[in-house]
Amino acid sequence: MKAGVSVVTFEEKDESDALNQTLRDSGARGLFFSPQTVIEQDREGNNVTRETYLKKLMPELHKMYPGDDLDLKNYPHLKQIIQLGHESIRGVIKFKDAMVYANPRLSAQELPVNSSSDNAYLTYRGGREASSFTNGEIASKSQAIWSDYLSSTEHTTPIFLSLNLETPFAVATFLGCNSHFQKVYVPATFSMNKVLDGIESQHSSVVVIDHELYDLEVPASRSQELGRKAATVKKAIVAGKSKSKSQLFQGSKVEVDPYTFSGL
């Protein structure tokens, strides 16, 4: 967003149809992806990755050479594809190589001046646009999240953010904390046990989490153990509709739609 780019995200990242529909409908000029992420295995037991999907949707890539401009029949707007992997893919630029041209000595490009009315963030769900926000709206939402829910947090205790970081709500929460120098802890795992370990180790009093974690059904045999891990939490800000009461989090709760901010 700082570079003046409108960010487009979509929920169904492991579905080629969703990628196809989002690229077509949004008119995206760039694609940023992780090629080695395994989606499933085919009948022969071979891994199907996001690179597999990309090559299936864009067969023209196979014939491209370094320096060739993208010219894709189904995605005429697409001008740049950047990957996070380390192996070369025809027609695709490695992220580490793209960063070379961010050096002013090697590029005449400059960051544009952004205005509050510039469209900053678009999200897709089920093949359709779910929400859209300008720079000004994202900034306003981030300030509202901070003022209404986070400003009373002790700065020595990190906000625990276990949420899809590609949703507008997660982005605005992170920006709100960042602009007020509030520490944020983002776990690098989807394991519920390790996420709860993180809450305990950080002594977080406020958690921003998805409804699946809030609604987690705790086995009776581990109720006391897991409850202790979440004992420091006084407030849970939940993305999405959740149960009226959690077996883990005993403090107050606020529900916010992660795509539209309804509930704020």
Side-chain angles (χ1 to χ4, degrees), residues 239-256:
K241 188 67 176 177
S242 61
K243 296 179 180 178
S244 59
K245 188 175 182 180
S246 172
Q247 295 183 21
L248 285 173
F249 305 101
Q250 304 305 314
S252 62
K253 178 188 71 169
V254 176
E255 290 181 350
V256 179

Side-chain angles (χ1 to χ4, degrees), residues 51-108:
E51 179 181 351
T52 310
Y53 283 174
L54 187 79
K55 290 180 176 179
K56 181 180 178 181
L57 294 173
M58 307 173 188
E60 299 99 322
L61 294 178
H62 180 67
K63 300 178 181 179
M64 292 188 64
Y65 290 91
D68 288 349
D69 292 332
L70 280 183
D71 185 15
L72 306 175
K73 178 181 178 181
N74 293 329
Y75 315 104
H77 298 286
L78 196 60
K79 301 302 180 185
Q80 200 78 271
I81 305 175
I82 299 176
Q83 57 134 326
L84 293 174
H86 301 288
E87 298 181 4
S88 297
I89 303 173
R90 285 194 169 189
V92 179
I93 298 174
K94 295 178 183 177
F95 178 69
K96 67 181 184 67
D97 293 336
M99 291 298 96
V100 170
Y101 299 101
N103 189 323
R105 293 178 300 173
L106 302 175
S107 175

Side-chain angles (χ1 to χ4, degrees), residues 191-194 196-197 200 216-230 247-248:
S191 166
M192 292 295 188
N193 282 325
K194 292 183 178 179
L196 291 172
D197 286 342
E200 183 180 32
L216 184 67
E217 294 186 6
V218 180
S221 60
R222 301 192 64 192
S223 177
Q224 186 174 359
E225 172 200 354
L226 298 182
R228 185 177 63 252
K229 293 179 184 294
Q247 295 183 21
L248 285 173

